Amino acid sequence: MLTNEQVVEHALERITAGYVFPEKAAVVDAAIRGRLAAGAYEGLDGPALCATVTAHLQEVCPDKHLRLLWTDEPQSLEPVDDDGGEAAFLALLRAENQGIRRVEHLEGSVGLIDVRRIATAAEGASAIGAAMQLVAHSSALVLDLRACLGGSPEGAAMWCSYFFRDDQVHLNDIYDRSTDTTRQFWTVAHLPAPRYADRPVYVLTSEATFSGGEDVAYTLQAHGRAVVVGGTTRGGAHPTARHPVAEHVLVTVPTARAVNTVTGTNWEGVGVVPDVQVPAERALEEALKALLSD
């Protein structure tokens, strides 16, 4: 069984090797090693160690994706099994209907899709297409991301693609530190359901909306394709890998950063600021009021 010092050391190795901003990784490493030397992590149980180290990490580098996480399920520590958390994420999506909680038709022929996670484009295309097919003939659409906790950049681009006429919209770019490359994300050419390019779209957000959910909200807002209603989101814009550093401890390391083609920046640390700011629990009411009064 690893000591707390060993767990933290392994986490720092991952952060130093992979964090998207190397200069910040060096500062994080020095600060946490100072805490180690001072005995800050001695005697803590696993969950408390994760919470304490996470707080210290974010004091130095306020990146909400940079964390130590406790997991009740034991993780393999074999290098061959370390896929950055992809297999676990795909299993979660399959168990949660590719992140789509419900689809409804509301008063005034307004469609509603409640999305809790952003699926990968490869596995989620059919489910996303099925949801969009069900609202294809609505007069307007509400995309509810108030409880969306994140997901795949490719999936975010697929969701956004439905709201543009063709594949000629350059949505954003993602710079990846490990390969020192920038990948462009454009609207998808072929979709399994009709596009929704000619009708109003409202996106609901809350203080819980995070990561991939923020990507969809920010991108549609920046390109002038949706009105965002609700609360300012959490502010996590860096695609992230998860690595086991002990049987029950994962370190999440942001390895890339998004750059929107309209704003030239992203929502890291500031969140997506709604066009109409209201308490999240009133966001649907406000969106419907605006849609039905048009």
Side-chain angles (χ1 to χ4, degrees), residues 175-182:
Y175 169 77
D176 183 81
R177 176 190 168 185
S178 64
T179 59
D180 193 27
T181 58
T182 298

Side-chain angles (χ1 to χ4, degrees), residues 46-241:
L49 175 67
C50 291
T52 304
V53 173
T54 296
H56 292 163
L57 287 170
Q58 295 188 2
E59 279 180 19
V60 184
C61 181
D63 183 326
K64 292 183 174 64
H65 277 110
L66 189 62
R67 299 172 290 175
L68 251 60
L69 299 176
W70 176 262
T71 172
D72 292 329
E73 189 72 24
Q75 309 295 305
S76 170
L77 298 178
E78 292 297 323
V80 70
D81 295 328
D82 184 6
D83 64 355
E86 182 178 1
F89 178 60
L90 291 176
L92 177 64
L93 287 170
R94 291 169 195 144
E96 296 187 356
N97 194 38
Q98 300 299 328
I100 299 167
R101 177 59 61 92
R102 63 192 170 104
V103 182
E104 291 186 33
H105 278 256
L106 306 175
E107 179 187 354
S109 188
V110 176
L112 170 72
I113 305 178
D114 181 350
V115 182
R116 302 299 175 91
R117 295 186 191 274
I118 304 300
T120 64
E123 290 213 8
S126 294
I128 295 169
M132 291 302 300
Q133 185 70 60
L134 289 172
V135 300
H137 301 294
S138 59
S139 62
L141 179 65
V142 174
L143 193 62
D144 189 349
L145 301 178
R146 288 177 293 181
C148 186
L149 300 179
S152 159
E154 293 83 0
M158 173 163 281
W159 272 110
C160 290
S161 295
Y162 278 95
F163 307 111
F164 298 92
R165 293 187 179 279
D166 52 36
D167 61 351
Q168 299 302 302
V169 181
H170 184 182
L171 299 170
N172 55 31
D173 296 330
I174 292 183
Y175 169 77
D176 183 81
R177 176 190 168 185
S178 64
T179 59
D180 193 27
T181 58
T182 298
R183 178 180 174 183
Q184 296 183 346
F185 286 80
W186 292 69
T187 45
V188 178
H190 302 290
L191 297 167
R195 293 182 187 272
Y196 202 95
D198 55 350
R199 283 154 287 172
V201 177
Y202 277 63
V203 174
L204 310 185
T205 59
S206 76
E207 293 76 7
T209 308
F210 192 53
S211 193
E214 294 177 287
D215 187 346
V216 174
Y218 188 90
T219 301
L220 292 177
Q221 182 190 56
H223 284 270
R225 189 56 194 92
V227 177
V228 178
V229 182
T232 300
T233 62
R234 285 174 62 192
H238 296 154
T240 300

